[in-house]
Amino acid sequence: MQENFSSNLRSLCAEFGSVAQICRAIGINRQQFNRYLNGTSMPSAHNLRRIARYFDLPEARLFAPLDQFDNWISESARNRSLTSSDNFLEPFRDQHRNLKRYLGFYHSFFRTPSWDGMIFCSLIQFREKDGFIQSRSLENATSTDKSIRQISRYDGLVTMRGNRIFVTEHERARNGSVAQTILFSAHRQQLKYLRGMTMGVAWRPYPRPYAAKAIWKRLDERVTARDAISACGIYSLHSTRIDLTIRKYLEAPSASEMPDTSGSILF
């Protein structure tokens, strides 16, 4: 039974990808998990339950003979014959374990060609709904002379791959733009700031694609919705209303930025 378990576990890991990510998601030490894989150790009842729950199968099935187990995996794959839309959605399914700690509200800060030389602040929410981690974004900015106002709303899906958070969003407006954000936390235990890159399309002075740095700041649960929304808008690069960590990150040059751009997603 122990040999069956280790063989089946290796087979599952080959299907699910990174062993390190699996260990993090389950919450089991990598060295201990390696002992399960090579058959030198068996998990406790508690860890067995966690492993089975992660792979979404009965505990007893983990001890089935390897040929039966492989046949079951193949049959499951056939039953999941995916359409093209399913293929797109597949990376976004069952991400609650990976992203539960990131649920909540953020202010996203970026520099966009649409507001040249300024920092743009938008409001983002990560929430769980219908088996997916969804994003909702609000952009709300008015020029100093009140002649231009930008209000945009976006919906998106979120997934995690290799400790990187991928956010794919589309604008609610008809024929609205599609944007991509890739973020990471500098330290595993530090969730206050998420740093990364964004790719999108500027909406003025004329539409053009661009990519640049962005930094998200997690909002305290005590911040009211009114305060969170009212903080959205455009700011000077040196505005003291934006904390120093954010300003330093956005002021630093990035080799990946395209000429004439220093922006982020235009949602």
Side-chain angles (χ1 to χ4, degrees):
M1 290 184 66
Q2 183 168 333
E3 182 178 350
N4 289 346
F5 175 81
S6 61
S7 298
N8 294 340
L9 189 59
R10 289 195 298 270
S11 182
L12 283 169
C13 289
E15 290 288 330
F16 277 70
S18 166
V19 172
Q21 184 172 334
I22 291 171
C23 291
R24 286 192 295 269
I26 298 175
I28 293 179
N29 178 275
R30 174 67 181 271
Q31 291 182 338
Q32 182 63 42
F33 196 81
N34 284 341
R35 288 194 281 271
Y36 302 158
L37 290 173
N38 61 33
T40 58
S41 179
M42 287 291 291
S44 64
H46 176 65
N47 282 348
L48 179 62
R49 187 177 303 113
R50 293 163 72 187
I51 292 170
R53 186 180 299 124
Y54 175 80
F55 290 112
D56 193 24
L57 48 76
E59 296 175 23
R61 196 181 293 274
L62 287 168
F63 297 93
L66 182 59
D67 57 343
Q68 294 181 20
F69 189 79
D70 284 344
N71 286 339
W72 173 76
I73 289 181
S74 298
E75 182 179 351
S76 297
R78 286 193 298 271
N79 291 338
R80 293 195 307 266
S81 298
L82 300 175
T83 65
S84 57
S85 60
D86 287 331
N87 273 319
F88 177 82
L89 291 174
E90 193 64 21
F92 298 96
R93 298 185 192 278
D94 303 320
Q95 286 294 306
H96 182 261
R97 297 185 187 90
N98 295 333
L99 292 167
K100 180 179 180 180
R101 61 204 295 258
Y102 295 97
L103 298 181
F105 287 87
Y106 298 83
H107 275 143
S108 169
F109 297 89
F110 49 89
R111 294 169 60 189
T112 163
S114 299
W115 300 93
D116 191 31
M118 308 291 283
I119 293 176
F120 195 104
C121 174
S122 65
L123 180 63
I124 316 285
Q125 180 190 19
F126 281 178
R127 62 175 184 169
E128 183 182 13
K129 186 178 179 182
D130 301 330
F132 294 93
I133 303 301
Q134 300 183 351
S135 67
R136 300 172 66 194
S137 305
L138 169 66
E139 294 180 341
N140 186 0
T142 304
S143 61
T144 304
D145 61 5
K146 311 296 183 183
S147 62
I148 300 171
R149 188 175 185 189
Q150 176 187 349
I151 300 179
S152 304
R153 291 179 173 83
Y154 286 76
D155 293 317
L157 293 175
V158 188
T159 189
M160 176 174 276
R161 290 291 186 273
N163 277 344
R164 296 299 183 264
I165 299 170
F166 294 80
V167 186
T168 300
E169 297 184 290
H170 67 91
E171 191 176 4
R172 294 182 191 175
R174 182 176 178 83
N175 297 323
S177 62
V178 176
Q180 177 79 53
T181 306
I182 303 174
L183 301 165
F184 67 96
S185 177
H187 304 286
R188 180 170 173 78
Q189 301 304 321
Q190 190 274 105
L191 300 181
K192 184 176 181 179
Y193 299 103
L194 298 176
R195 297 167 172 83
M197 297 292 297
T198 62
M199 293 145 280
V201 178
W203 65 281
R204 71 181 186 99
Y206 55 87
R208 69 179 187 270
Y210 65 98
K213 298 188 300 184
I215 179 168
W216 291 18
K217 182 177 181 179
R218 190 181 185 96
L219 299 187
D220 190 285
E221 293 180 356
R222 293 171 293 183
V223 174
T224 66
R226 173 179 292 183
D227 289 342
I229 293 172
S230 65
C232 294
I234 52 174
Y235 295 87
S236 162
L237 285 174
H238 307 293
S239 172
T240 55
R241 294 182 62 188
I242 299 178
D243 72 44
L244 188 59
T245 297
I246 294 169
R247 282 184 279 139
K248 282 187 174 181
Y249 183 77
L250 295 180
E251 289 171 357
S254 170
S256 59
E257 289 183 352
M258 297 159 49
D260 288 323
T261 66
S262 56
S264 175
I265 295 177
L266 190 67
F267 298 117

